Amino acid sequence: MALRSYWKGYLKLSLVTCPVAMTPATSESEKVRFHTLNKATGNRVVSQYLDSVTGKPVRDENEAKGYARGENDYVILTEDDLDAVALDTVKTIDIEKFVPADSIEWVYLEKPHYLMPDDAVGNEAFAVIRDAMKADKVVGVSKLVIGRRERAVVLEPRGEGIVLWSLRFGDEVRPEENYFEDIEDEADPDLVPLVQKLIKQKTARWSPDMVSDPIQESLLKLIAEKKKALKPAKKSTKGKGTAAPASNVINIMDALKKSLADELKSKKAG
């Protein structure tokens, strides 16, 4: 099946240029989505833009972007106006500089995209840029217009291709010291080794199964049940008592020791 490109343009490094195509690396198309319905009729509810003064619907061709200059006073921008300010970065990813691959804090990474050559002629230039970054353990820094905004992006070599990450703007990232300043600088040195043992017992190779969505799985199960019957069978609560709430007061040393012991038991049993 042919892959559908989200964006097409050029990857450029100095005098080296090659045509590339980009597609989002993540998708939410498999997520459970709902329509809003009129519960009384079962019909779908539609939304539309209304003029705030006349109350009448606005046709698509009459919609425009407005920048507020004052109360009820706007500067109107049409699609032609917005296209007129398009930058070179609309169609070209010009790598401006390189930084160590581990120097970009994860909190700045926003959304990943797969970048690949768009034709056979550009394969060699693409591969040279990719392998040079891989050999020097660096990522490329550039800019790209996404959704009419110029975003900073980084290009990370990955396998045979390149992953392009859009970056959050600096003013979108909250300073961590505003939230961490009241936390204790050092933990109890007697507790740290116990936590290290617990970490070692719980360490495993990464798997996508670790980030499954149990809520979506439950929704799909519920939807399947509702397809079979209009009303799902009610679960019986007969004979079930109410358990007393457990105390939240714990001794961390005892809790860690118990956790380690439980982990060892489960490993032996397995």
Side-chain angles (χ1 to χ4, degrees), residues 26 56 61-62 70 72 92 96 100 103-104 116 122-123 129 137 144 146 200 210-211 221 227 243 254-255 257 261 268:
T26 59
K56 294 181 179 179
E61 61 268 23
N62 289 334
N72 297 322
T92 303
E96 301 169 348
S103 66
I104 299 178
M116 63 217 83
N123 267 333
I129 295 173
K137 297 181 180 179
L144 177 65
I146 302 175
K200 187 175 181 180
M210 295 179 181
V211 287
K221 184 178 179 181
K227 284 181 179 179
D254 292 341
K257 287 180 178 179
K268 288 179 180 179

Side-chain angles (χ1 to χ4, degrees), residues 184-201:
E184 291 184 14
D185 293 340
E186 295 183 4
D188 187 331
D190 293 331
L191 298 177
V192 172
L194 291 175
V195 174
Q196 288 179 302
K197 289 181 181 179
L198 189 57
I199 289 173
K200 187 175 181 180
Q201 292 176 2

Side-chain angles (χ1 to χ4, degrees), residues 16-51:
V16 180
T17 304
C18 64
V20 290
M22 184 175 74
T23 187
T26 59
S27 172
E28 295 188 355
S29 61
E30 301 301 319
K31 294 291 184 183
V32 176
R33 297 182 184 277
F34 297 103
H35 295 290
T36 301
L37 307 178
N38 180 341
K39 188 168 65 173
T41 64
N43 299 328
R44 284 187 60 183
V45 174
V46 297
S47 60
Q48 58 183 167
Y49 287 109
L50 301 177
D51 188 298

Side-chain angles (χ1 to χ4, degrees), residues 226-241:
K226 280 184 170 286
K227 284 181 179 179
K228 294 178 180 178
L230 292 176
K231 293 182 179 180
K234 293 183 179 180
K235 294 181 179 179
S236 174
T237 57
K238 186 177 179 181
K240 292 184 179 179

